[in-house]
Every structure is written in C-alpha cells, then in structure tokens.
Amino acid sequence: MDINSTFTVAAPIDEVWKTLMDFERVAGCVPGAQVLNKLSDDAYQVGMKVKLGPVTMQYRGQMTVLERDAAAHRAVFEGRAQETRGQGTAQGTATLTLVEAHGQTQGTVSADVALSGKVAAMGRSVIGSVTEQMMSLFSENLQAMVTGPAPEPAASQGTETVTEQGTATAPPAAPTSPPATTAPAPRAPQPATESSLNALDLAKGIVLDQLNSLPRLLGVMAAVAFVAYRIGRRAGGK
C-alpha cells in the first residue's frame, strides 16, 4: 500500500531537518509513538499505540535509517513492527524530503507499507483518514517544538524623572483606583495529544468503501433483473 502525506512548518529548512534527525526527541511529535531504545546512530527500537474508538493496538519493532543526505534534506527509513497482543504486523520503507519556500518548510513522506491483522482489514480509506489525522497532529507538535512557546510580554515598570539639578523625583501619583485583582496563575502546558482516532472517521471510511462498491452492485442487480424479464417474456410467449 502506497501512502503519501505532507506537512508544513514555519521555520528554516536546516532547523527543521536538524530537529527531525533527532529521533529520540522528535518521536514525541508523533501521536502514540516513542523511542524505547537507541541501538545505534541509525537504528532504534520503537513503540507505537493507535486507538480506534474502543479498539487499541500496540506495536513494537525497529526503525532503521537507510539513507541520510543533509545537503539534499532527504532521508530513507525502514520499519518493522508487530502487535504486542495480536498477530498483526506492519513493515515498509518511507522517504522523507524537505523543501523550503517563502520562509516555510514543507515535508513530504512517501511510504510503501505492508499491513496484516486488524489494521489491514479496515480498508484503504480508513487507513488514509488515520494517516492524515496523525500527520496533522505531528505537524502541529513539530511546529511547537521548532519555534518554542511564545515569549511572555515584559511587565511595564515605572520611571523616574530627573530635574535640571540632577535630583531624581518620583513620577506623579496615579489617580486613586480600586485595588487590582490578582491575575490567575498561568495554565500548565498541556500534554501532547494521544493517538486517539475518532470512531466517526472509522465509520465514514467504512461508509465510503460501501458507497464505492454500490454502483457495481446496482449494475449486477439490473443485469439480473433484465435477464429474468427476458426469460419470463419467452416463457409467456410459448
């Protein structure tokens, strides 16, 4: 199965490339993914959890970097994984390419994947919907990682005025106003979104698969009805 996805980050291409090549750090941008162990500079033991409504699938396997070209901003990966509680498997290769335009970096991921087990039975449209949702979350998380949180505005401070004699005087007193209320404490940063794929997306994908096969079914039914009608006419004419 061929899967093609894109993502965009508002950052220089070299910065995005450097971040993506730090696999142990960038793994947190992929919903449900984590690096379990670094085997070498180009091999990692990885884990993945995907949730489809009430169904949760967990995979464990290995990711290997086959090619890495910093000048061309291109890398090729190979991955193999198996369900921790099931017989399903996933394996394939993926090519990552970055290009920069108008101050933004666009990444393209082209993958050739072979699936077995429960995931393979879901159909191409459902897998495509899942991939798009995960890539959207990945893009948002990567953007936050590359640019970092927005800086807090600096608090305004009072100033002193200096007279011609050099004596510092305090600024004029402000008009009396009600005491300021204490500002609420800033919210703690929220954890990264877990890979929970909406069951509605799954249902829509299944419906689309059925709708795609509907014209063929109607054609077969019409042909059968026509043949039955002709046989009836011939039988009635005898």
Side-chain angles (χ1 to χ4, degrees):
M1 179 183 299
D2 294 329
I3 299 176
N4 298 290
S5 301
T6 61
F7 62 90
T8 302
V9 181
I13 189 170
D14 288 332
E15 187 173 353
V16 175
W17 171 264
K18 181 179 178 181
T19 302
L20 289 173
M21 292 301 103
D22 188 351
F23 302 111
E24 293 176 283
R25 180 183 176 214
V26 81
C29 294
V30 181
Q34 61 179 147
V35 173
L36 303 175
N37 189 24
K38 182 177 180 180
L39 306 177
S40 69
D41 289 342
D42 291 326
Y44 300 83
Q45 185 183 28
V46 296
M48 183 77 182
K49 180 170 70 173
V50 179
K51 185 177 181 183
L52 287 167
V55 180
T56 299
M57 290 165 287
Q58 292 185 333
Y59 292 86
R60 179 169 293 187
Q62 181 173 324
M63 183 198 75
T64 305
V65 183
L66 301 180
E67 300 178 26
R68 190 180 338 205
D69 188 341
H73 301 102
R74 179 180 179 276
V76 181
F77 310 92
E78 180 184 60
R80 298 175 182 270
Q82 183 169 355
E83 281 188 82
T84 57
R85 298 180 180 178
Q87 301 300 317
T89 61
Q91 61 181 13
T93 58
T95 301
L96 166 69
T97 306
L98 301 181
V99 294
E100 187 175 23
H102 309 294
Q104 292 187 328
T105 299
Q106 183 181 65
T108 301
V109 180
S110 301
D112 182 9
V113 182
L115 302 171
S116 68
K118 291 179 288 186
V119 173
M122 292 178 184
R124 186 181 185 89
S125 60
V126 176
I127 295 174
S129 177
V130 169
T131 303
E132 290 178 4
Q133 184 177 358
M134 293 183 68
M135 189 59 69
S136 176
L137 293 172
F138 170 76
S139 179
E140 294 175 5
N141 295 335
L142 180 61
Q143 179 70 67
M145 178 177 289
V146 171
T147 60
E152 295 290 336
S156 59
Q157 298 180 355
T159 57
E160 291 183 339
T161 58
V162 180
T163 64
E164 292 182 357
Q165 289 77 15
T167 305
T169 60
T176 305
S177 59
T181 58
T182 304
R187 293 183 180 181
Q190 298 297 319
T193 305
E194 187 181 357
S195 176
S196 179
L197 304 174
N198 197 324
L200 179 59
D201 290 338
L202 175 61
K204 287 192 295 184
I206 295 174
V207 170
L208 286 174
D209 283 343
Q210 293 176 344
L211 290 178
N212 289 335
S213 62
L214 184 59
R216 296 191 297 271
L217 178 61
L218 292 177
V220 173
M221 292 176 63
V224 171
F226 177 75
V227 172
Y229 170 75
R230 296 292 296 177
I231 293 175
R233 285 286 302 273
R234 290 180 181 178
K238 289 183 179 180

